[in-house]
Amino acid sequence: MRAFSDLTEREILALAIANEEEDGRIYADYAEHLREHYPDSARLFDDMATEEEEHRRALIDLYVERFGRHIAYITRRDVRGAPAPASPRTTILKGIDAVREEVTRMETNASRFYREAADRSTDAPIRKLLGDLASAELDHLRTAGEIEAQRLPSDRRAREDEDAHRRFVLQVVQPGLVGLMDGSVSTLAPVFAAAFATHLPWNAFLIGMAASVGAGISMGFAEALADDGKLSGRGAPLMRGLVCGAMTTAGGIGHTLPFLIADFWTAIVVAAIVVVVELSTIAWIQYRYMDTPPVSAAAKVMLGGALVLAAGILIGSG
């Protein structure tokens, strides 16, 4: 990997061409993946990809004029400190806001990189070229803003943001909440039953871990196999299954870990406190994402948890 200061003017221009080509492809990828659910944003990224292609052609014309037809192969990944864009697929999974932020970051980082390199350069032609590239990246940002204002008026952007929130709830929050509720509530009975039956915290810990892991696997498969997400709009089955399974396991392990404490009553008290925290978290998620009134959410969750906890204690004490 080479330092930017070691690049020749020819390599810098070749790097700029590669950057524009890669950025254009990324914008085109964003447009393709967002077209179904975010058509207005997709058109925005189509326009930005077109802008990148125009800049690339201008850079190629300049390169051919000065250095000939063969363009040296060099990318951002060959230059130490050059900010590389994130994978489009990874960014898209994070939602539309993450895509918008990544695009802004790409253009801002590129401009900053070229500007700082220009400030460090003592070679006049290279300094001028780097300054021109920095200005070009700022022009990209201004152009993107103009295109966004045209393509995404406030009402359309608000609609897309609302759709994104709804998909996030369906694809992440809902399976995660189902898993957390199942793990936090259903494992209460076996854990506390084992604790009160044996008065040995270690036994309760082993049973709690087994119940949590088993429930996580079961709930993960159940969620993933429930539907393919195409008709319901609930997203990829694998992702939903992973979220649901992980949250189920986490919900059960939370009140299981206190039974690593050797003293029985200390472990019981700490576990009970953790249970209250878990149930409060579930109630808050219902209030935050499901528009459930806070008092109603807390009452329902606490009642259900109390019944399961009481059942476990009664069975274990019998």
Side-chain angles (χ1 to χ4, degrees):
M1 187 172 291
R2 302 170 61 187
F4 194 90
S5 58
D6 295 335
L7 300 182
T8 64
E9 187 174 350
R10 174 172 174 266
E11 290 171 327
I12 291 172
L13 199 55
L15 176 61
I17 293 170
N19 290 352
E20 297 292 346
E21 182 174 351
E22 183 179 21
D23 290 351
R25 288 182 175 178
I26 289 175
Y27 295 150
D29 263 6
Y30 286 148
E32 186 64 25
H33 283 89
L34 297 174
R35 203 173 308 281
E36 179 180 358
H37 298 297
Y38 305 101
D40 294 312
S41 285
R43 286 191 290 271
L44 163 65
F45 291 121
D46 280 333
D47 290 343
M48 292 184 68
T50 300
E51 285 284 326
E52 296 297 300
E53 177 62 19
E54 292 175 358
H55 293 146
R56 186 183 72 90
R57 289 178 179 177
L59 286 166
I60 289 177
D61 290 342
L62 177 60
Y63 185 98
V64 171
E65 178 184 338
R66 296 196 60 180
F67 304 110
R69 300 184 63 84
H70 174 71
I71 300 176
Y73 178 77
I74 185 170
T75 69
R76 281 178 277 221
R77 292 156 187 82
D78 299 318
V79 180
R80 188 182 304 114
S87 166
R89 291 186 178 275
T90 302
T91 306
I92 289 169
L93 289 175
K94 298 177 182 178
I96 184 65
D97 286 337
V99 173
R100 293 167 181 158
E101 291 173 3
E102 173 61 17
V103 169
T104 301
R105 188 189 70 85
M106 286 169 56
E107 300 292 352
T108 302
N109 282 347
S111 177
R112 183 183 301 114
F113 180 76
Y114 285 133
R115 183 66 65 189
E116 291 177 355
D119 291 341
R120 290 196 301 268
S121 176
T122 58
D123 186 284
I126 293 179
R127 188 182 183 93
K128 180 181 182 303
L129 178 60
L130 292 174
D132 291 343
L133 292 174
S135 298
E137 295 299 335
L138 290 178
D139 286 341
H140 292 182
L141 278 177
R142 285 192 289 269
T143 301
E146 293 170 0
I147 295 174
E148 182 172 5
Q150 177 183 358
R151 291 290 194 189
L152 282 178
S154 57
D155 58 333
R156 293 185 182 179
R157 177 155 185 167
R159 185 177 67 246
E160 288 195 349
D161 290 343
E162 183 179 347
D163 289 343
H165 175 74
R166 180 177 60 83
R167 263 186 290 276
F168 175 71
V169 170
L170 283 175
Q171 298 173 6
V172 178
V173 175
Q174 193 175 72
L177 181 60
V178 169
L180 185 60
M181 291 177 66
D182 185 84
S184 298
V185 176
S186 68
T187 58
L188 285 176
V191 171
F192 280 85
F196 278 89
T198 65
H199 280 255
L200 296 174
W202 179 248
N203 288 351
F205 173 77
L206 293 178
I207 291 175
M209 288 297 295
S212 300
V213 174
I217 295 173
S218 175
M219 288 294 292
F221 271 100
E223 179 63 34
L225 297 176
D227 68 85
D228 60 9
K230 293 180 179 178
L231 295 178
S232 63
R234 299 182 64 216
L238 178 60
M239 177 63 69
R240 295 197 330 266
L242 289 174
V243 171
C244 185
M247 293 306 293
T248 301
T249 301
I253 288 178
H255 53 257
T256 296
L257 290 177
F259 289 99
L260 287 171
I261 300 172
D263 182 74
F264 174 74
W265 286 110
T266 302
I268 289 292
V269 171
V270 174
I273 294 173
V274 172
V275 169
V276 173
V277 173
E278 290 173 344
L279 298 180
S280 299
T281 301
I282 292 172
W284 180 84
I285 293 174
Q286 289 184 326
Y287 162 69
R288 173 66 176 80
Y289 292 101
M290 303 298 183
D291 296 327
T292 305
V295 175
S296 174
K300 293 175 182 177
V301 172
M302 292 297 177
L303 176 60
L307 290 175
V308 176
L309 178 61
I313 294 175
L314 288 174
I315 293 172
S317 302

